């Protein structure tokens, strides 16, 4: 999913895509203009993937809220972030009906609408943007089972501690007292 590398930079308008990492910063690309620039490590960067909106009982990832907005608007642009407070609150009610009105400020709602419209205009908001690959979901539950099986096998084999003895024998060649001690035990 291309949305995972989208960032917001404090003090810079718009959204950016992480292109690559440098020794002392990052190369970023403006999602709208496609212009690439570098930023230093001192820049305050927020990955949109790490941002969530408060509801009364949990935090909902920003991309789930974007998906709700996209489905409601048929993947088209939504209201302007410059709309009235009443319109913005109605928009938020549709995007995330159980949002926490005390912890989600008007400025947050404006930013949500603005970011959604930026991503939509840049071509990031499509039905395919929100599809989670099924192959990963099927593999994920299988992996822990395999690891558990492997763990059980190693726990059942008492021969496993032989590996440290091999390491000791390589050290034993360097120091005679250890090899003498091993021959007795």
């Amino acid at each position: 999913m291309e949305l995972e590398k989208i960032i917001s930079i404090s003090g810079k308008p718009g959204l950016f895509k992480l292109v690559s990492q440098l020794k002392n910063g990052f190369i970023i690309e403006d999602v709208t203009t496609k212009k690439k620039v570098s930023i230093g490590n001192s820049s305050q960067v927020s990955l949109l993937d790490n941002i969530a909106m408060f509801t009364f009982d949990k935090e909902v990832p920003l991309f789930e809220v974007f998906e709700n907005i996209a489905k409601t608007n048929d993947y088209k642009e939504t209201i302007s972030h410059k709309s009235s407070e009443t319109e913005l609150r109605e928009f938020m009610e549709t995007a995330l009906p159980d949002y926490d009105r005390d912890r989600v400020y008007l400025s947050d709602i404006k930013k949500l609408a603005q970011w959604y419209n930026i991503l939509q205009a840049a071509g990031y908001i499509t039905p395919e943007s929100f599809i989670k690959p099924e192959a990963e979901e099927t593999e994920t539950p299988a992996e822990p089972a395999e690891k558990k099986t492997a763990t059980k096998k190693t726990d059942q084999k008492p021969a496993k501690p032989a590996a440290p003895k091999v390491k000791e024998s390589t050290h034993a060649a360097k120091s005679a007292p250890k090899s003498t001690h091993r021959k007795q035990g």
Side-chain angles (χ1 to χ4, degrees):
M1 182 175 354
E2 288 185 16
L3 294 172
E4 292 168 343
K5 293 186 176 188
I6 304 297
I7 61 169
S8 168
I9 303 171
S10 182
K12 285 187 181 265
L15 293 173
F16 304 88
K17 180 180 177 181
L18 282 174
V19 177
S20 67
Q21 187 171 356
L22 302 172
K23 190 174 185 178
N24 57 353
F26 300 94
I27 295 177
I28 58 170
E29 178 182 270
D30 187 302
V31 297
T32 311
T33 64
K34 304 293 184 203
K35 182 179 176 186
K36 292 181 183 176
V37 293
S38 63
I39 58 168
N41 282 337
S42 61
S43 299
Q44 291 184 353
V45 172
S46 298
L47 270 169
L48 266 57
D49 202 28
N50 293 338
I51 298 174
M53 310 253 355
F54 294 111
T55 63
F56 291 109
D57 57 336
K58 63 180 181 175
E59 293 179 17
V60 177
L62 187 62
F63 291 129
E64 284 184 30
V65 181
F66 282 159
E67 185 175 15
N68 292 345
I69 297 167
K71 287 178 180 177
T72 303
N73 292 295
D74 198 30
Y75 299 91
K76 293 182 173 61
E77 191 173 332
T78 191
I79 68 168
S80 170
H81 65 286
K82 295 180 181 180
S83 299
S84 72
E85 181 176 347
T86 308
E87 291 173 318
L88 287 165
R89 295 236 179 246
E90 288 173 6
F91 156 75
M92 191 64 202
E93 191 73 37
T94 306
L96 191 62
D98 59 341
Y99 81 97
D100 188 334
R101 283 132 189 92
D102 294 330
R103 299 193 313 180
V104 176
Y105 302 111
L106 183 62
S107 60
D108 298 328
I109 300 170
K110 286 180 177 183
K111 201 174 284 187
L112 175 70
Q114 183 181 25
W115 286 352
Y116 174 87
N117 286 332
I118 289 171
L119 291 171
Q120 195 280 330
Y124 285 90
I125 304 292
T126 64
E128 295 79 31
S129 302
F130 301 104
I131 294 174
K132 294 174 181 84
E134 289 182 30
E136 288 180 12
E137 289 178 14
T138 353
E139 291 173 4
T140 306
E143 286 180 30
E146 290 171 10
K147 288 179 183 176
K148 286 179 186 175
T149 307
T151 307
K152 287 179 183 176
K153 287 179 183 176
T154 56
D155 290 345
Q156 292 172 354
K157 290 182 181 178
K160 199 67 173 169
K165 289 181 184 175
V166 173
K167 289 180 185 175
E168 286 178 24
S169 66
T170 56
H171 294 296
K174 294 180 183 175
S175 66
K178 284 185 180 178
S179 63
T180 307
H181 180 60
R182 280 201 61 214
K183 288 180 182 177
Q184 292 174 352

